[in-house]
Amino acid sequence: MPAEIFNPNPVIFSAPKSAGRLSDLSAHSLWVNDPSLSEDDEADETEPIDQDEIYDLIRSIYDPEHPNTLEELRVVSAPQVTVGTNRITVEFTPTVPHCGMSTLIGLCIRVRLLRSLPERFKVDIFLKPGSHQSENAVNKQLNDKERVAAALENPTLLDTVEQCLANAGARGGHL
Amino acid sequence: MDDLSHKITPITHLQGHTDRAWHIAWNPTKPLLASCSADKTVRVYAYSTSPPSPSTSTSTTYKFTLLSNIPTGHAKTVRAVAWAPSGQTLATASFDSNIGIWEREGTGEKPHTHTHTHGEGCAHGEHAHALDGGDAEDDEGGDFAGSEWEWECVSTLEGHETECKSVAYSASGTLLASCSRDKTVWIWEVHPDGDFETISVLMEHTQDVKCVAWHPTEEILASASYDDTIKLYIDDPSDDWFSFATLTGHESTVWGLAWSPAFPKSKSNQTSNSSLMPISIENPGRSHSYLASCSQDCTVRVWQRTAQHKWECALVLRGHERSIYSVSWGRGVRRPSSEVEVDVEGKREREKGYLGWLASAGGDGSVLIWELWETPSTNPTPTLNHKLIARLDSAHGVHDINAVAWCPRSGHEDLLATTADDGGVKVWQVVPAVALPT
């Protein structure tokens, strides 16, 4: 990790332990907690996945430079998740507009969703418009599958991502 | 969809890569297909044909067999593969920043020559005649089947600082180009015995270079980049290689490039059916003057040569819903002129200016195929025309398609290969939607 701290003193928001629909999720989720539904289930049954389920998958990702989750820093929120037919768009908000960690945060979100969602979903990840001074550059890199693939073959970078994802299953589901 | 003149029919699904399959390359002279993957391997398949049999089937049957599984030794993803024009040598581009040069084991004992098109360096008994040039009548006989081929790395080209994304041999086979995220394009001179000499390092792009492609007959190189542009290069004999043109218009990363193919001057492009093919070769003014590009902006653009060293955008093709990762321009198969379903004037025009078939594929999982042809215009340059002739959605199920490639070998120009994120390689045949009367 670089020595420079981009936001030394972020605002931390409390995150109630029983956030929103967690109990709903456990009771009704068709895939998140159900090990019997494997990826190669060819039944063509499209299990609905909603905004809150996606949010539950990413809210507990740690910020790369703080001991806080993306939820606590309000980097991600449920309304910033859009779910379409096999398409998911995640928007996130860096804590400061010069945040050099934005690409890494986006990569963590992408990896978390790659590992958690059925293969049929295409995921696009963007910064909240106007939230970052290098918005276009970060967006372009996060949605370049070749750059993402190469980044994940970098052991140092992958290690950092794994650390951010270490507790990502605390909320929402495990597969 | 119903009104499209052709359909894309499956030939085979080649599984075996254990991670994302990135790229494929048809051998230009032999019945071989190579694929590469994030699993760091290259798989080489041989194919053979059974002629149409009136008793069992009405069409040619293709059979694909795994010939080699090359571990490569690359430390990271093998991103691209390219055959030399001789068909004897395979190049690999890897995220480990190196280019690998591969030849069949045993062939290195003899001096390595890059200009031969026949297999004197590979005379291994029963394989020898199959290694002759592409039109040998016996090379469909399955000589490759059942035999294991070993490949050895005869050279590793080091120089790029970060991931290599693409590699390509020039038409003569004497030059090799490579590109990388380090923003550079390297041109290497190919010497005998696996020796390579760096002759130019081109630093024209401001970002990641995604693809390099050589003109089919001239020593013109094109490169495509994350900086949304395409650069064209030639050699200044008294100086160095330089970029003589920048093509702008794409609104995001340019992922792939394909030059319009050269058509043989001396014979029909469909040897097996030449009587049906009174075509197109008589157009001496046509000089392979188009370049196609595909982009993250979900368009394919076709650039037309308007002067010796000038290309301009002549066409923007739409139809994909997500990023287009690959484009391939093949000679295709012309339908007999009597079958062309256009008016008389249009028919004549298409016969004259036929330019082949352009295929594109990408993140939406669809394969689109356009026929392209040019017609005279009042401008100095002809008008470029296009028609979507075939479309297949979900060609690899839900998976992104990373590469599409037409078979360049005579008589097999209707074969198309695709690779996808699930590691699968598929081969397709593009045939008339309505069977031709016989």
Side-chain angles (χ1 to χ4, degrees):
Chain A
M1 300 300 298
E4 181 186 2
I5 300 293
F6 291 98
N7 183 1
N9 192 18
V11 179
I12 299 164
F13 299 86
S14 68
K17 286 297 174 193
S18 57
R21 306 175 6 111
L22 257 192
S23 55
D24 272 3
L25 186 70
S26 309
H28 301 302
S29 168
L30 290 173
W31 62 275
V32 169
N33 295 314
D34 188 349
S36 69
L37 277 173
S38 62
E39 286 177 2
D40 54 3
D41 186 348
E42 295 291 344
D44 277 349
E45 293 173 22
T46 304
E47 310 92 28
I49 294 182
D50 67 23
Q51 196 178 56
D52 295 290
E53 286 179 278
I54 302 299
Y55 178 53
D56 277 322
L57 288 169
I58 60 176
R59 64 203 296 183
S60 298
I61 297 171
Y62 282 122
D63 183 90
E65 61 180 14
H66 301 291
N68 303 104
T69 65
L70 299 186
E71 175 182 37
E72 289 166 341
L73 299 173
R74 298 220 175 150
V75 171
V76 295
S77 66
Q80 286 178 287
V81 175
T82 310
V83 180
T85 307
N86 295 343
R87 302 277 163 85
I88 289 168
T89 305
V90 177
E91 182 187 280
F92 68 104
T93 313
T95 55
V96 286
H98 58 277
C99 179
M101 291 291 129
S102 294
T103 310
L104 183 56
I105 292 168
L107 186 63
C108 291
I109 295 171
R110 181 168 288 286
V111 171
R112 174 66 177 151
L113 295 179
L114 268 177
R115 290 177 180 175
S116 309
L117 292 174
E119 289 179 317
R120 68 173 187 272
F121 284 98
K122 313 275 186 189
V123 177
D124 295 307
I125 298 175
F126 301 104
L127 286 162
K128 179 186 166 85
S131 69
H132 197 282
Q133 60 193 23
S134 306
E135 182 182 329
N136 291 340
V138 172
N139 286 343
K140 194 167 190 179
Q141 197 167 346
L142 284 175
N143 294 293
D144 180 317
K145 70 185 281 186
E146 190 177 52
R147 299 279 283 259
V148 170
L152 297 179
E153 285 191 355
N154 177 329
T156 312
L157 192 52
L158 185 59
D159 191 52
T160 307
V161 170
E162 297 293 3
Q163 288 173 31
C164 293
L165 296 182
N167 201 38
R171 303 281 182 90
H174 297 273
L175 280 182
Chain B
M1 292 243 276
D2 302 6
D3 56 343
L4 299 183
S5 62
H6 289 67
K7 60 184 177 181
I8 302 169
T9 61
I11 298 289
T12 187
H13 185 187
L14 304 167
Q15 292 163 296
H17 283 303
T18 56
D19 203 339
R20 172 184 284 151
W22 273 114
H23 198 223
I24 29 169
W26 295 91
N27 188 298
T29 65
K30 308 177 217 309
L32 299 174
L33 176 68
S35 64
C36 64
S37 161
D39 68 12
K40 307 180 184 70
T41 71
V42 168
R43 294 170 74 86
V44 181
Y45 296 91
Y47 57 95
S48 58
T49 54
S50 309
S53 162
S55 60
T56 57
S57 164
T58 54
S59 64
T60 304
T61 309
Y62 283 93
K63 184 184 175 203
F64 283 75
T65 314
L66 180 68
L67 200 62
S68 310
N69 184 5
I70 310 174
T72 79
H74 280 299
K76 293 180 177 177
T77 287
V78 182
R79 175 63 182 89
V81 282
W83 293 96
S86 67
Q88 304 283 16
T89 307
L90 181 72
T92 51
S94 169
F95 282 179
D96 71 6
S97 78
N98 295 327
I99 303 293
I101 305 295
W102 303 83
E103 293 187 356
R104 200 184 154 194
E105 209 155 65
T107 62
E109 295 161 13
K110 294 195 176 186
H112 178 87
T113 58
H114 293 273
T115 51
H116 66 196
T117 53
H118 293 271
E120 72 268 23
C122 297
H124 275 219
E126 72 271 41
H127 296 305
H129 68 283
L131 290 166
D132 284 342
D135 295 324
E137 59 275 21
D138 282 325
D139 68 358
E140 309 304 332
D143 285 17
F144 294 93
S147 58
E148 181 80 7
W149 274 26
E150 298 290 332
W151 296 77
E152 61 179 341
C153 182
V154 298
S155 195
T156 301
L157 310 186
E158 300 176 349
H160 284 295
E161 292 173 4
T162 56
E163 303 94 75
C164 290
K165 304 290 180 75
S166 174
V167 62
Y169 279 93
S170 68
S172 66
T174 57
L175 297 171
L176 182 78
S178 61
C179 64
S180 160
R181 185 168 64 84
D182 67 12
K183 307 174 188 173
T184 66
V185 172
W186 289 47
I187 299 177
W188 313 76
E189 198 162 58
V190 183
H191 293 300
D193 296 318
D195 285 339
F196 287 78
E197 182 190 349
T198 309
I199 60 169
S200 195
V201 177
L202 298 156
M203 296 182 280
E204 297 288 335
H205 285 293
T206 60
Q207 295 286 345
D208 198 352
V209 189
K210 297 295 196 184
C211 183
V212 283
W214 289 95
H215 190 280
T217 56
E218 300 173 52
E219 278 193 352
I220 300 173
L221 179 67
S223 65
S225 169
Y226 188 90
D227 70 11
D228 307 352
T229 72
I230 299 157
K231 304 267 183 187
L232 301 176
Y233 313 85
I234 50 171
D235 187 19
D236 177 347
S238 64
D239 194 3
D240 196 1
W241 282 76
F242 68 101
S243 170
F244 68 86
T246 301
L247 309 185
T248 57
H250 279 301
E251 290 165 8
S252 190
T253 300
V254 188
W255 283 102
L257 297 167
W259 293 92
S260 55
F263 284 80
K265 296 278 188 250
S266 56
K267 58 180 180 177
S268 162
N269 69 338
Q270 197 189 38
T271 52
S272 59
N273 250 342
S274 53
S275 62
L276 292 174
M277 291 289 150
I279 56 161
S280 88
I281 321 295
E282 75 277 6
N283 187 357
R286 198 174 65 224
S287 54
H288 328 304
S289 40
Y290 294 90
L291 175 67
S293 58
C294 63
S295 167
Q296 188 96 13
D297 70 11
C298 304
T299 69
V300 171
R301 284 174 182 257
V302 184
W303 311 82
Q304 181 181 45
R305 192 177 206 165
T306 55
Q308 178 67 14
H309 291 133
K310 190 170 184 184
W311 271 259
E312 292 177 7
C313 187
L315 198 56
V316 180
L317 298 170
R318 299 174 200 277
H320 287 283
E321 292 174 7
R322 290 184 70 84
S323 183
I324 309 172
Y325 293 123
S326 182
V327 66
S328 178
W329 198 332
R331 291 198 296 269
V333 179
R334 304 260 348 253
R335 305 184 73 175
S337 54
S338 61
E339 297 297 321
V340 176
E341 295 162 1
V342 293
D343 63 81
V344 173
E345 281 308 304
K347 181 179 71 185
R348 284 188 183 145
E349 288 178 343
R350 287 176 73 177
E351 283 172 15
K352 273 189 212 160
Y354 175 76
L355 293 167
W357 290 353
L358 183 64
S360 62
D364 64 2
S366 300
V367 177
L368 272 64
I369 298 172
W370 287 275
E371 183 168 308
L372 295 171
W373 73 100
E374 58 186 16
T375 47
S377 79
T378 53
N379 297 321
T381 51
T383 302
L384 180 61
N385 306 278
H386 69 283
K387 184 183 180 198
L388 186 70
I389 62 166
R391 177 187 179 107
L392 182 66
D393 296 322
S394 304
H396 285 259
V398 299
H399 302 284
D400 287 15
I401 300 176
N402 296 313
V404 59
W406 289 108
C407 181
R409 291 176 66 235
S410 192
H412 305 281
E413 287 103 335
D414 55 355
L415 287 188
L416 187 72
T418 52
T419 60
D421 271 359
D422 65 347
V425 174
K426 290 188 178 184
V427 180
W428 314 85
Q429 193 166 20
V430 180
V431 297
V434 179
L436 295 176
T438 51

